[in-house]
Amino acid sequence: MYYQSRSIVLKNRDLRDSDQILTIFTEKEGKVTAVAKGVKKTKSSLRGCTQPFCHSSLYFNRGRDMDLITQGRIIDFFGNSREDITRTLYSMYMMELLDKSLLERVPLPQLYAALARVLELINQQGLDLMLVRYFESRLLVNLGYKPIMDQCAHCGSKELRNSPFSLQEGGLLCPVCMERGQHLMILRGETAALVRLLCEGSIQAVQRVKASPLASQQLEIVLEKYLEYHLERRFKVKNTIRLLKRTLAVSN
Ligand SMILES: [Zn+2]
């Protein structure tokens, strides 16, 4: 059975001869593993549209274990990001997060749209770390970990004063619940507002926001810890996040 979908290659590795096996985030089917036959031959028509930093429309033949890519065309190529080491590493970080955290064949079209738009904007306008934070937030929301910021994440009380953020409960805690809460972080008011904006606002609103250096730093830390806390339980992404961030720090 055939299907077609907009697709972004998350990673590729060589198989026998000139074939490659690709992990792809598709708009319609979610994450899939697929074979691109003969793709390493210079004349292969799949060569262009299955490379990293490409947004493509691909045609698949559904297989028992793996799908087969039959044809495709390029929609957009993120050439500026590929030529720039920092943009390359941040793009790879987002791909790696997806590869490690998504289950196969669970369609997440909204997350797909967010990724495509973030990659496009970073390619066109340069790196904006708020867009990376936006992507991380959308990943959390789409995996069912949307931070609860308008009521107590444990009891639902609306009484939030100097409320700490609980990684375990996934949101703010009221004065009663915070007494026995674990894994708590005290957020600045500005940071809490940024978390809300990232999870609920439009990408245009996120691009317009001017965050203070302190809030930006705290935002990065809380999202990193929250991603680690929840994804690590299921997918062992912790080392990935740390390792990639260390690589980014070296290159900056
Ligand atoms: Zn409570």
Side-chain angles (χ1 to χ4, degrees):
M1 200 177 84
Y2 288 89
Y3 66 96
Q4 172 278 333
S5 179
R6 296 205 301 163
S7 306
I8 293 169
V9 173
L10 301 181
K11 79 176 178 199
N12 56 11
R13 64 185 168 86
D14 291 344
L15 205 58
R16 58 192 171 271
D17 304 328
S18 51
D19 303 349
Q20 279 192 330
I21 181 163
L22 309 175
T23 306
I24 307 170
F25 187 27
T26 68
E27 184 175 31
K28 288 185 188 160
E29 299 266 322
K31 187 173 84 169
V32 300
T33 307
V35 175
K37 280 196 178 297
V39 70
K40 283 159 69 194
K41 291 180 187 158
T42 39
K43 284 185 178 164
S44 168
S45 61
L46 294 180
R47 208 177 151 92
C49 58
T50 57
Q51 60 185 320
F53 296 93
C54 227
H55 190 195
S56 303
S57 169
L58 298 180
Y59 289 80
F60 299 84
N61 193 356
R62 205 186 296 271
R64 201 185 312 163
D65 298 323
M66 270 181 269
D67 296 352
L68 185 70
I69 302 169
T70 55
Q71 52 175 311
R73 65 175 176 81
I74 296 175
I75 299 169
D76 197 1
F77 176 61
F78 308 123
N80 298 332
S81 291
R82 201 176 66 171
E83 299 304 316
D84 176 286
I85 182 72
T86 311
R87 279 190 268 181
T88 297
L89 287 167
Y90 272 102
S91 303
M92 283 168 56
Y93 163 69
M94 292 188 278
M95 306 296 178
E96 187 83 10
L97 264 188
L98 286 170
D99 181 39
K100 290 285 195 295
S101 64
L102 300 185
L103 297 171
E104 295 232 350
R105 297 214 189 274
V106 179
L108 295 167
Q110 289 178 347
L111 182 63
Y112 185 89
L115 174 71
R117 188 71 184 126
V118 166
L119 290 176
E120 187 185 2
L121 286 169
I122 289 177
N123 185 59
Q124 286 170 356
Q125 302 175 3
L127 182 67
D128 172 358
L129 285 179
M130 202 52 82
L131 288 176
V132 180
R133 301 288 93 85
Y134 174 77
F135 172 75
E136 291 169 337
S137 308
R138 292 294 144 156
L139 178 64
L140 283 165
V141 169
N142 277 275
L143 293 180
Y145 300 118
K146 182 181 175 185
I148 299 164
M149 306 298 285
D150 57 352
Q151 59 179 46
C152 173
H154 186 75
C155 74
S157 161
K158 295 277 182 190
E159 202 178 321
L160 300 175
R161 276 179 286 108
N162 303 321
S163 293
F165 184 89
S166 160
L167 300 176
Q168 191 179 6
E169 301 279 356
L172 300 177
L173 291 185
C174 73
V176 176
C177 296
M178 79 169 83
E179 294 299 321
R180 46 192 164 79
Q182 291 176 322
H183 309 288
L184 302 180
M185 287 183 75
I186 306 292
L187 300 188
R188 302 165 67 86
E190 186 188 353
T191 313
L194 286 170
V195 172
R196 276 189 207 100
L197 175 72
L198 288 169
C199 293
E200 289 166 11
S202 68
I203 196 165
Q204 292 85 352
V206 169
Q207 279 197 291
R208 277 196 303 270
V209 79
K210 296 271 180 284
S212 70
L214 269 176
S216 303
Q217 199 180 15
Q218 196 179 39
L219 181 67
E220 178 181 356
I221 293 169
V222 69
L223 287 176
E224 176 184 311
K225 287 194 181 301
Y226 190 48
L227 277 164
E228 275 181 9
Y229 186 86
H230 286 289
L231 301 187
E232 170 71 2
R233 303 188 150 222
R234 293 165 62 183
F235 306 113
K236 303 234 174 284
V237 293
K238 192 171 201 158
N239 293 335
T240 307
I241 296 178
R242 285 280 154 77
L243 193 71
L244 283 162
K245 287 216 166 148
R246 219 175 299 143
T247 317
L248 290 168
V250 171
S251 72
N252 273 338

